[in-house]
Amino acid sequence: MYLIAGLGNIGKEYDGTRHNIGFEVIDYLSEKKGILVKKKEQNGLTGVYREFGEKILLAKPTTFMNNSGLCIAGLVNFYQVPLENLLIIYDDIDLAIGDVRIRQRGSAGTHNGMRSIIQSLGSQDFPRIRIGTGRPKEGADLVHFVLGHFAKSEIPLMESAVLEAVKGIDYFVKDGVDLAMNQVNVRRKKEETDRLEN
């Protein structure tokens, strides 16, 4: 079994904000797979689909970002999900806008949702997909930035990033994290190189 969780904040006022890009990936993926993510369990909303011979649980924590670990650890423990089968999708200010990176493990960086998950699981050894939102201008308030909406010019980049993340999830479930990293990270790099050369 796989657990794929996107991070965000519940509530209409947070829809479309930088901090909710993880939710957007789950919403897009659930629509693509023809399922609803609405079962309430372990401080989150979940939905299940089957593909590549695997059961895949999609989740959106309902705890607000800073307590995401309550939901993730609850689901991991309840369903006995191995940490290598856990995949967290979240926004990252340390990546350029629209960049998508898959990692096998790592620290939380500046992300409070990831900090909560690592603390609740007692481990940082689980895969994640980071989606770049870029950094605020120097001197700007970080909280205001991550809870703000994307500029009109940024929306196509973020839509493309969501599609890329969904491809990464399929690669991850079908072929494992190494191949997912090779496919998504390398292809993204190639696209950047092609763009710079043209």
Side-chain angles (χ1 to χ4, degrees), residues 32-83:
K32 187 182 170 197
K33 304 300 182 184
I35 66 161
L36 295 172
V37 178
K38 65 173 192 177
K39 182 184 176 185
K40 293 179 181 177
E41 57 176 336
Q42 303 293 331
N43 296 291
L45 300 173
T46 65
V48 173
Y49 69 98
R50 290 176 188 276
E51 203 167 55
F52 313 121
E54 299 288 352
K55 184 179 179 183
I56 300 143
L57 182 72
L58 300 184
K60 293 161 68 175
T62 54
T63 55
F64 287 103
M65 184 65 85
N66 293 359
N67 291 314
S68 299
L70 284 174
C71 170
I72 304 305
L75 291 170
V76 164
N77 293 331
F78 184 77
Y79 287 103
Q80 296 294 291
V81 179
L83 287 190

Side-chain angles (χ1 to χ4, degrees), residues 12 108 149 158 193:
K12 284 280 181 211
H149 290 81
M158 297 316 294
T193 307

Side-chain angles (χ1 to χ4, degrees), residues 9 14 25 36 42 76 83 89 99 113 121 123 127 165 184:
N9 288 305
Y14 298 108
V25 172
L36 295 172
Q42 303 293 331
V76 164
L83 287 190
I89 302 113
D99 271 8
L121 291 174
S123 173
V184 173

Side-chain angles (χ1 to χ4, degrees), residues 82-97:
L83 287 190
E84 62 266 25
N85 287 6
L86 168 66
L87 183 67
I88 306 291
I89 302 113
Y90 65 101
D91 58 294
D92 194 328
I93 61 167
D94 293 321
L95 291 179
I97 184 91

Side-chain angles (χ1 to χ4, degrees), residues 45-179:
L45 300 173
T46 65
V48 173
Y49 69 98
R50 290 176 188 276
E51 203 167 55
F52 313 121
E54 299 288 352
K55 184 179 179 183
I56 300 143
L57 182 72
L58 300 184
K60 293 161 68 175
T62 54
T63 55
F64 287 103
M65 184 65 85
N66 293 359
N67 291 314
S68 299
L70 284 174
C71 170
I72 304 305
L75 291 170
V76 164
N77 293 331
F78 184 77
Y79 287 103
Q80 296 294 291
V81 179
L83 287 190
E84 62 266 25
N85 287 6
L86 168 66
L87 183 67
I88 306 291
I89 302 113
Y90 65 101
D91 58 294
D92 194 328
I93 61 167
D94 293 321
L95 291 179
I97 184 91
D99 271 8
V100 180
R101 292 282 183 273
I102 300 178
R103 292 181 69 192
Q104 282 182 309
R105 62 183 64 83
S107 70
T110 56
H111 202 282
N112 289 333
M114 285 299 284
R115 193 171 295 135
S116 171
I117 292 168
I118 288 169
Q119 198 171 6
S120 296
L121 291 174
S123 173
Q124 59 182 23
D125 294 337
F126 56 88
R128 69 283 310 265
I129 295 181
R130 301 153 61 215
I131 299 178
T133 59
R135 280 189 165 275
K137 287 175 183 162
E138 203 164 334
D141 180 63
L142 182 58
V143 173
H144 182 73
F145 178 76
V146 297
L147 294 180
H149 290 81
F150 293 103
K152 209 171 187 176
S153 61
E154 295 172 335
I155 290 172
L157 285 170
M158 297 316 294
E159 287 174 347
S160 170
V162 167
L163 296 178
E164 193 71 9
V166 166
K167 282 183 201 165
I169 291 165
D170 282 344
Y171 285 127
F172 171 72
V173 174
K174 184 169 176 263
D175 300 306
V177 69
D178 286 335
L179 194 111

